[in-house]
Amino acid sequence: MSNIQDKVVIITGASSGIGEATAKELSSKGAKLVLAARREERLQKLQHDIQSHGGQAIYKVTDVTSVEQMEELASYTLKKFGKIDVLINNAGLMPNSFLYKRRVDDWNQMVDVNIKGVLYGIAAVLPSMRERKSGHIINLSSVAGHVVGAGSAVYAGTKFAVRAISEGLRKEEADNNIRSTIISPGMVKSELPESITDMEFKPVVEKMYERAIEAESIARAIAFAIEQPSNVAINEMLIRPTSQER
Ligand code: NDP
């Protein structure tokens, strides 16, 4: 039996891209899913797709920038499924641009979703995981959490932060049998480039993304991390298109 069978997994940003692909992959391996994002019709459709393939999924409309909504997401999961085995902090956005363009609203949004959203997720699930002395928190960083490119200073800053927070979490919760995994993708086909508001910069990124790999590639890596025995923690994976140099 798969070590994913019957695990209760919360996925933020489940309404598209990597989150959606991961939900389908984990469902095919028997996970019980809690899908979270802001676009309800997308979540409904995904829930329906999963259920029509014999999987189990519920959803809750959640904005990860609200600590209250993240707490409610965890409570809802505990009420419906009795436990939280895995949280995948996947919601994120990448409105890249140069610093001199002073796109302060974009900076704030990236900090709020990419960093605070991850922290609120950790805050929401840690109490019950610590109580059970069991759990797994998977945070989506990026190759941009390792390498800073011109135009991605703020996004990279948020993804470096995700790696720092994940490493702190790993050290703090090792004795509580809580695993921590950083997933650092390279270019992946998804709606991510659509979050770019700088119309001069967007075509540059879209051109680069012509070599992007399928979101399923990341979903398989996430499944690999989850399906290890509980005494084995896959702490970080970098997954790039083969042709991506940086
Ligand atoms: P998508 O744009 O396809 O998905 C992003 C998801 O985040 C959507 O489901 C969106 O749902 C959700 N989201 C955004 N803001 C919020 C919010 N405030 N509250 C709740 N959910 C929110 O992009 P990806 O699938 O590519 O991105 C997933 C993660 O992977 C991100 O963290 C991204 O930084 C990371 N990543 C992606 C790479 C790529 O090349 N695609 C490369 C490296 C890392 P909704 O709008 O419905 O709320």
Side-chain angles (χ1 to χ4, degrees):
M1 192 172 77
S2 149
N3 196 24
I4 294 175
Q5 182 72 42
D6 293 331
K7 279 195 173 165
V8 176
V9 183
I10 301 175
I11 306 177
T12 69
S15 58
S16 69
I18 293 169
E20 180 180 353
T22 302
K24 289 178 177 167
E25 175 73 17
L26 297 179
S27 168
S28 76
K29 292 176 181 275
K32 297 176 179 172
L33 295 165
V34 184
L35 312 169
R38 293 165 304 173
R39 288 171 292 178
E40 183 165 19
E41 65 293 351
R42 294 283 198 103
L43 296 175
Q44 261 170 355
K45 183 178 177 307
L46 179 58
Q47 180 194 35
H48 183 261
D49 283 357
I50 288 171
Q51 288 174 342
S52 65
H53 286 88
Q56 287 191 65
I58 57 174
Y59 76 84
K60 187 152 188 18
V61 172
T62 305
D63 185 332
V64 300
T65 67
S66 159
V67 70
E68 291 82 14
Q69 290 185 34
M70 288 303 285
E71 298 279 357
E72 284 164 19
L73 176 64
S75 307
Y76 182 67
T77 306
L78 290 170
K79 193 170 121 207
K80 292 284 181 183
F81 289 133
K83 61 174 184 166
I84 301 166
D85 292 303
V86 185
L87 166 67
I88 307 177
N89 275 317
N90 166 74
L93 76 165
M94 184 189 71
N96 282 350
S97 181
F98 295 104
L99 290 169
Y100 79 85
K101 293 200 173 176
R102 298 158 45 103
R103 302 182 86 86
V104 176
D105 289 346
D106 286 347
W107 301 350
N108 287 336
Q109 230 194 329
M110 279 189 273
V111 169
D112 286 348
V113 176
N114 299 3
I115 304 178
K116 290 189 191 170
V118 168
L119 286 171
Y120 296 162
I122 292 169
V125 302
L126 262 190
S128 70
M129 287 185 176
R130 283 171 64 94
E131 203 174 289
R132 287 177 61 227
K133 291 224 177 297
S134 174
H136 190 172
I137 298 176
I138 300 176
N139 296 326
L140 268 286
S141 178
S142 171
V143 167
H146 295 256
V147 183
V148 186
S152 71
V154 179
Y155 179 71
T158 66
K159 293 303 186 179
F160 270 71
V162 169
R163 291 186 55 238
I165 292 162
S166 304
E167 177 61 1
L169 174 71
R170 183 187 74 75
K171 291 191 168 156
E172 290 181 20
E173 297 303 331
D175 279 347
N176 286 319
N177 193 37
I178 295 171
R179 301 190 290 181
S180 153
T181 299
I182 303 162
I183 300 287
S184 292
M187 291 182 286
V188 175
K189 283 181 206 162
S190 74
E191 296 175 15
L192 199 67
E194 287 172 32
S195 64
I196 300 172
T197 58
D198 179 345
M199 292 307 151
E200 272 180 316
F201 200 75
K202 200 172 181 190
V204 179
V205 175
E206 283 170 347
K207 179 80 194 146
M208 283 181 348
Y209 267 67
E210 283 173 6
R211 64 181 65 185
I213 52 176
E214 303 294 330
E216 287 72 18
S217 331
I218 309 304
R220 288 193 299 273
I222 291 173
F224 177 77
I226 297 174
E227 72 195 357
Q228 300 308 307
S230 67
N231 63 345
V232 177
I234 304 292
N235 294 129
E236 178 153 24
M237 280 192 265
L238 274 140
I239 308 118
R240 293 182 176 88
T242 309
S243 63
Q244 182 178 339
E245 198 187 322
R246 289 186 341 147

